[in-house]
Amino acid sequence: MSIFRLFSNTNKEKTRERSRSRNRAENLPGVQQWPYYRDLAIQSGHFTIPSELASLRHSRLNRSLYNLVYTPNDELNYFILYMESCSLSAYLKFILDVHAFEKLSRQHSAKNSDQQTAALTLFHRYFAIDATYPIPIDDNMRQTTFSLICPSSDITETDSDCFRMGREYVWNLIEQNAYPSYLTSAYHINYQLKMLTCNELQLHDILYNNSSLSYFIEFSEQEKVIDLVRFWLAIEHFYQSTINRMIDNQTLTENALNIYDQYISLQASSRLGFDDAIRARIECSICQPDMDAGPSSDTFDQTAWIVYAILQREYFPRFLQSVIFCRHISDLMLKIRNEETALTSRPVKAVESDAASINSDNMMPSSTVPTAASATTQSNRQRNPSVSSSCPSLNQELAIKSMGKYSMGYIDPLGRFIRDPDVDSLDSTFSSQRKTSSNPIQFLTNLVRNEQDEVAMDEAAARFAETFINEITTMTANLDNQ
């Protein structure tokens, strides 16, 4: 009996200890209630935290034009198809080719004669009167560019920036006209759907995309953690103001004090419950001996890291499984349906960067170092996605992508992507999946049109969107196993 009594007493002690630990956690303020908070506080004090936070300050759902064109990404193919549908592909081809030419010129990897030949090839391709891909420039810019390529006898080398005027002119045309329209097109929405339904989505993709952020804010209000999101947005605005120097140091100090008084101090109206060490460090950063210096840009980096880690670990997975996120997917699908009529009915050929064609025209010797644009083009050939305004084609695109095969084709008057004959064999593989997907899409369309019962519409649309996501995941997993 003594053994059983000892075992029983031990279990009672463990139960009481767990109960005390639970009560202590419940009594801790704000973020300190999480058992891993102490580890986060220690990690957030590391000197690499600012650089790690900097790597998170972007969203793949809403890239800048510079990142879209010049950094490796799988959205560039969608933008290329959009530019071709608008008959503006020559602009993008010119930008990529000039980037490749300028990079080679700066590396001094080619002889002057080869550099001049390369420049003349680009000139005749884009700037000549009978150019293959004419760029709308005036005679003054054309003559200035040609004089920089073929200078007078006193200057023997071709200017590596000979296309700078043309590049800036074309870039402004794209930035002011084509790019804003692309962001509202079915091509961009199709890419967003692909990102939102893949396993690579991260919290920073949501936080730095205004459209998705609105849904996450609604979810955080439902979960009663809206103060964490508002705090993140406040310190992000403070960081951008500090980096860009949009306001003077006195105003920066006032903004930092407002954030401190609202979220960090012991008397804060929305106190998040950071420990004394973090609070003291922020106080020292705000109240510096030199009053004119202003707070540094990393004043709230430690708290930002902790809040981001908690949101990523505790609430982001729930958000992806929520009805609100499914409604986000269904709203994007509705936008695609509304954009179908805006798509051109003429066949649209998929185009690629012409940087590789420069080499095919013997613009540079084969011994030269390949350019980044050429490398990007080769990788884009391997991942050329089929862009369509219909969700069955999106399923087909993801399935083909998982098999590592991509095709080129055109968009028919109904907005469907038609591939070339060399990949017709894949049509039979996915024909049944397209047939099974058509009825749910029609079902979703009817739900969206029905405005009499908005609550029922949202719930049904969310259920379909969740089924749609599971279908993509299952299909991709099956293809991987094959």
Side-chain angles (χ1 to χ4, degrees), residues 177-223:
N177 301 317
Y179 180 66
S181 300
Y182 163 73
L183 294 179
T184 59
S185 69
Y187 296 91
H188 181 60
I189 298 174
N190 253 331
Y191 170 75
Q192 287 184 319
L193 274 174
K194 187 200 75 169
M195 282 297 304
L196 290 170
T197 54
C198 73
N199 294 326
E200 300 177 358
L201 190 67
Q202 299 294 328
L203 177 60
H204 62 86
D205 294 320
I206 301 295
L207 292 177
Y208 290 93
N209 180 45
N210 291 335
S211 176
S212 300
L213 177 60
S214 62
Y215 292 91
F216 188 71
I217 289 177
E218 181 181 351
F219 170 79
S220 63
E221 290 176 343
Q222 189 178 84
E223 294 290 321

Side-chain angles (χ1 to χ4, degrees), residues 267-284:
Q267 295 79 27
S269 56
S270 304
R271 184 187 174 195
L272 298 182
F274 295 104
D275 58 78
D276 296 339
I278 293 179
R279 188 167 59 251
R281 180 184 177 279
I282 294 176
E283 292 173 356
C284 293

Side-chain angles (χ1 to χ4, degrees), residues 445-458:
T445 303
N446 294 334
L447 284 175
V448 173
R449 290 177 178 175
N450 183 16
E451 299 179 353
Q452 298 178 356
D453 191 354
E454 295 184 357
V455 176
M457 176 193 68
D458 289 342

Side-chain angles (χ1 to χ4, degrees), residues 156-362:
T156 58
E157 294 186 358
T158 299
D159 191 346
S160 60
D161 291 330
C162 55
F163 291 103
R164 182 178 60 84
M165 291 178 57
R167 172 172 50 78
E168 293 177 352
Y169 172 73
V170 173
W171 184 268
N172 289 333
L173 290 179
I174 297 176
E175 189 173 35
Q176 296 175 7
N177 301 317
Y179 180 66
S181 300
Y182 163 73
L183 294 179
T184 59
S185 69
Y187 296 91
H188 181 60
I189 298 174
N190 253 331
Y191 170 75
Q192 287 184 319
L193 274 174
K194 187 200 75 169
M195 282 297 304
L196 290 170
T197 54
C198 73
N199 294 326
E200 300 177 358
L201 190 67
Q202 299 294 328
L203 177 60
H204 62 86
D205 294 320
I206 301 295
L207 292 177
Y208 290 93
N209 180 45
N210 291 335
S211 176
S212 300
L213 177 60
S214 62
Y215 292 91
F216 188 71
I217 289 177
E218 181 181 351
F219 170 79
S220 63
E221 290 176 343
Q222 189 178 84
E223 294 290 321
K224 295 181 173 54
V225 289
I226 185 62
D227 288 338
L228 291 178
V229 180
R230 287 174 177 167
F231 174 71
W232 171 270
L233 296 176
I235 60 180
E236 177 60 23
H237 181 266
F238 169 82
Y239 173 82
Q240 296 296 338
S241 301
T242 306
I243 295 297
N244 300 328
R245 290 296 172 185
M246 297 184 296
I247 53 181
D248 57 79
N249 290 334
Q250 182 178 357
T251 307
L252 281 175
T253 303
E254 294 176 356
N255 292 344
L257 286 174
N258 290 335
I259 296 174
Y260 177 84
D261 292 337
Q262 184 175 357
Y263 297 103
I264 298 175
S265 72
L266 295 176
Q267 295 79 27
S269 56
S270 304
R271 184 187 174 195
L272 298 182
F274 295 104
D275 58 78
D276 296 339
I278 293 179
R279 188 167 59 251
R281 180 184 177 279
I282 294 176
E283 292 173 356
C284 293
S285 180
I286 296 176
C287 303
Q288 297 184 15
D290 186 2
M291 299 300 296
D292 296 332
S296 60
S297 60
D298 62 348
T299 299
F300 298 102
D301 280 0
Q302 194 171 5
T303 55
W305 174 262
I306 295 175
V307 168
Y308 183 89
I310 292 175
L311 291 175
Q312 172 79 24
R313 182 169 178 174
E314 299 294 335
Y315 298 101
F316 184 62
R318 294 191 222 169
F319 172 67
L320 297 182
Q321 301 296 326
S322 66
V323 175
I324 296 176
F325 180 74
C326 293
R327 176 154 49 84
H328 183 21
I329 299 294
S330 63
D331 289 346
L332 289 177
M333 294 167 63
L334 177 61
K335 286 183 180 180
I336 289 181
R337 174 184 170 276
N338 294 334
E339 287 292 329
E340 284 181 349
T341 56
L343 293 177
T344 178
S345 60
R346 66 178 180 82
V348 178
K349 290 290 183 180
V351 293
E352 300 176 354
S353 164
D354 204 36
S357 65
I358 299 177
N359 293 331
S360 65
D361 293 337
N362 295 325

